[in-house]
Amino acid sequence: MTAGLLERTGDTPPPELDPALNAPLVAFLASERAGHVNGQILGRTDFAFTLFQHPKQIAWMWRDGGWTPELVAEHFDATLGQHLQPVGMVMPGGMEFTGKP
């Protein structure tokens, strides 16, 4: 999915961005050993696999009869926009794998 970005810059991806790093987690999730894993949000940051918290409703905006794109744009910042949250992940110190593979 990121190949187009690298083609434009002419660079090769750094090792930690290699999409093949996703394969071990995908293979595990497709196996019978992961039968207990359901409804989770998983990801990868560099060489670490991550588990994210489930989203929960923190704000809403309601309008009788529904919305038009213009009305959403007019009201978004004053309602939902007040609750936007940062995205991404910062790896805490000491999270490096120190055992033998």
Side-chain angles (χ1 to χ4, degrees):
M1 294 188 326
T2 60
L5 297 172
L6 295 170
E7 288 172 2
R8 280 184 254 145
T9 63
D11 292 333
T12 57
E16 66 272 12
L17 293 183
D18 184 351
L21 292 171
N22 298 324
L25 180 60
V26 172
F28 167 71
L29 292 171
S31 75
E32 290 184 17
R33 291 184 66 189
H36 63 288
V37 181
N38 189 6
Q40 302 300 305
I41 303 171
L42 300 163
R44 185 179 58 79
T45 302
D46 293 338
F47 297 109
F49 294 122
T50 56
L51 175 67
F52 292 91
Q53 290 182 346
H54 286 274
K56 63 181 181 179
Q57 183 176 338
I58 60 170
W60 58 275
M61 62 183 203
W62 179 86
R63 183 173 185 279
D64 190 24
W67 295 86
T68 65
E70 294 79 16
L71 286 171
V72 171
E74 184 178 324
H75 294 277
F76 185 88
D77 287 338
T79 55
L80 300 178
Q82 298 296 312
H83 303 279
L84 295 178
Q85 300 173 34
V87 296
M89 179 177 164
V90 176
M91 292 294 289
M95 291 289 295
E96 303 85 29
F97 177 72
T98 57
K100 294 182 181 179

